[in-house]
Amino acid sequence: MADRVGPQGENDGAGTVGKALGVLDIVARFGRPVRAAEIQAVSDLPKGTVYRFLQTLTEQNMLSYNPDLRVYSLGVRLVRLAQVAWRTFQIAPVSQPHLHALARKIGLAVYLSKLDGGQCVSLERGMPDVRAGVFQDVDRVYPAYCTAVGKAMLASLSEQSLAMALRQQSFQRLTERTITDAEALRADLETVRARGYAIEDGEHVRGIIAVGVPILTRSGRLIGGIAVHAPDRRTDLEELKMQIPDLHNTARAIASDAADWSFPETDRKTVQCGERI
């Protein structure tokens, strides 16, 4: 897919790829099958260059050409690439600025997690300007049944996904306050659904309290959760609950930024507990 670009006419591979991607962008912006003349009309490229790109992109299945209607549309190869990109997408990069902003505002570390195999995986954290609160490692795996963010995410699952996730819980007693059976957890999750947030009161680690909320798409699909933790010697749950409105606002902001990665949900099946797509 070579094309002469630049003032001296040198063959610039990176520039050529960029121009070809620009043609794909034009087709995508139309939002419908489009004729070559329409693409040419809004492109800065010479007519011959546009047609060469269209031919090459079609040969590579990046574009699809209908010879009867003489129109181009996005090709199946792009769909496959997009599906792979979504499956490997991590929410952490889009979440980072929101987590840090909230951490600086409330003076506590804010943790982003996802649900994987019924367990919580810590993906990212926002840090306050001063050392305050409780700090844990990113990429750590920890239980869902006895943590605020875990219960917030579990409560947001469909019944089918929740049943699967409950079968994956160990229900090990970690402190005297740990929930140790599925029925007791289900009752707790009903309360979580009703109030829109989950609490952790020394259930995972003795002396540690937390509040957590899920991160949901506009359609209600779970993509993660966020929580703040603190030692109970420093604060109490009532004071920690004052951060819940900010947690919800941050969760909505993260979901909004992540929406650019979303695909139409009618044709997509959930693979694991609502968050792997």
Side-chain angles (χ1 to χ4, degrees), residues 155-227:
S156 303
L157 297 176
S158 68
E159 178 54 38
Q160 181 180 2
S161 294
L162 176 59
M164 181 189 302
L166 291 181
R167 290 194 295 270
Q168 296 170 313
Q169 305 305 307
S170 67
F171 289 112
Q172 179 182 358
R173 184 179 295 278
L174 301 175
T175 77
E176 64 278 3
R177 296 183 176 179
T178 305
I179 293 175
T180 57
D181 65 82
E183 288 309 308
L185 180 58
R186 277 186 176 275
D188 195 18
L189 295 180
E190 286 295 329
T191 303
V192 173
R193 290 190 193 97
R195 67 189 175 201
Y197 64 89
I199 64 172
E200 176 185 335
D201 189 5
E203 303 156 50
H204 182 215
V205 178
R206 187 178 290 106
I208 299 301
I209 58 177
V211 292
V213 302
I215 302 173
L216 305 172
T217 65
R218 290 182 180 177
S219 66
R221 179 168 48 84
L222 178 69
I223 58 175
I226 53 175

Side-chain angles (χ1 to χ4, degrees), residues 99 102 106 108-113 124 126 142 147-150 152 198 200 210-213 225-229 247:
L99 298 176
L102 179 57
I106 67 177
L108 294 169
V110 183
Y111 288 91
L112 168 75
S113 301
E124 186 59 89
Y142 52 97
T147 57
V149 71
E200 176 185 335
V211 292
V213 302
I226 53 175
V228 293
H229 308 75
L247 278 173

Side-chain angles (χ1 to χ4, degrees), residues 8-116:
Q8 283 78 40
E10 68 272 21
N11 187 14
D12 183 349
T16 299
V17 171
K19 291 175 181 178
L21 292 175
V23 172
L24 286 176
D25 284 337
I26 290 173
V27 176
R29 285 199 298 271
F30 271 94
R32 59 171 174 79
V34 58
R35 290 177 175 269
E38 295 177 288
I39 299 171
Q40 175 61 40
V42 296
S43 174
D44 294 330
L45 299 175
K47 181 177 180 179
T49 302
V50 169
Y51 276 88
R52 284 197 299 274
F53 283 147
L54 290 174
Q55 181 179 357
T56 301
L57 291 168
T58 301
E59 290 171 353
Q60 296 298 318
N61 292 320
M62 294 289 190
L63 288 177
S64 175
Y65 181 65
N66 184 323
D68 295 326
L69 299 177
R70 300 171 64 184
V71 293
Y72 294 88
S73 56
L74 296 181
V76 294
R77 188 173 183 181
L78 282 179
V79 175
R80 290 197 299 268
L81 291 173
Q83 289 172 338
V84 171
W86 174 252
R87 287 196 297 269
T88 59
F89 169 65
Q90 293 288 334
I91 195 175
V94 300
S95 303
Q96 198 171 57
H98 300 293
L99 298 176
H100 286 296
L102 179 57
R104 288 191 296 269
K105 179 179 180 180
I106 67 177
L108 294 169
V110 183
Y111 288 91
L112 168 75
S113 301
K114 70 173 182 177
L115 205 56
D116 191 352

